[in-house]
Amino acid sequence: MSEIVRFGVSIEQDLLENYDSLIVERGYATRSEALRDLIRDALIQSKIENDLTTQVLGSLTLVYDHHASNLLQEMAHVQHDFHEVVLSVMHIHVSHVDCMEILAVRGIVSEIVDLADKLLSLKGIKNGKLFLTLPSSGITERK
Ligand code: NI
């Protein structure tokens, strides 16, 4: 683990008050811990957006109507095309109509975004979201 350093921050009073309310709401013990998470998230998102060859891991959540014609075959077909990045799939029968699938994914950003776009645009998919992050070693690496 890297050495901990302290630094001063100049900030408007009302902005700090809002920040303090937010960190209490989210359950952080200290301002420092909340700030570290904000910084990590900014670094992760920046790296992912700026370099589509970055190795990432994440999850893709899909909610769909399992009665939609051909949807299951099309979903399986796309996932087989991306078998190297799809690590695991969890399927939940949400109701008589809806299913939810959560795909654990790992690979380069461009491939995973391509996979997500192909699945999210299928007819019958009601909603979905891709979450990407980096292994902890990838966060602190310098550019
Ligand atoms: Ni189901």
Side-chain angles (χ1 to χ4, degrees):
M1 195 176 169
S2 176
E3 186 193 346
I4 299 290
V5 294
R6 296 175 68 91
F7 66 101
V9 177
S10 303
I11 186 171
E12 292 85 349
Q13 176 83 36
D14 54 351
L15 189 57
L16 182 61
E17 284 169 8
N18 284 332
Y19 177 64
D20 283 342
S21 301
L22 182 71
I23 66 178
V24 167
E25 204 177 287
R26 293 195 177 167
Y28 283 103
T30 63
R31 284 176 178 160
S32 294
E33 190 49 45
L35 183 61
R36 284 192 285 269
D37 276 1
L38 283 176
I39 292 172
R40 276 189 213 104
D41 192 52
L43 291 171
I44 289 168
Q45 293 315 315
S46 166
K47 192 161 180 177
I48 289 172
E49 285 165 20
N50 292 319
D51 183 359
L52 296 180
T53 67
T54 305
Q55 279 282 338
V56 291
L57 56 145
S59 57
L60 174 63
T61 302
L62 303 163
V63 176
Y64 58 93
D65 179 346
H66 78 115
H67 298 113
S69 60
N70 297 324
L71 179 60
L72 298 179
Q73 292 91 326
E74 287 172 24
M75 284 177 68
H77 182 71
V78 173
Q79 291 185 40
H80 278 275
D81 281 346
F82 287 84
H83 64 91
E84 286 174 352
V85 300
V86 178
L87 302 175
S88 174
V89 181
M90 184 181 359
H91 184 106
I92 296 121
H93 308 299
V94 178
S95 67
H96 286 294
V97 176
D98 289 327
C99 296
M100 178 165 71
E101 259 181 35
I102 304 167
L103 284 67
V105 292
R106 183 169 60 194
I108 63 170
V109 177
S110 59
E111 266 187 312
I112 292 176
V113 168
D114 193 19
L115 165 68
D117 286 345
K118 287 194 163 96
L119 288 172
L120 289 166
S121 62
L122 290 175
K123 193 168 179 232
I125 300 285
K126 292 179 171 176
N127 196 12
K129 195 67 91 179
L130 176 64
F131 168 78
L132 295 178
T133 189
L134 299 172
S136 61
S137 62
I139 301 167
T140 51
E141 276 170 17
R142 299 234 166 97
K143 282 183 184 167

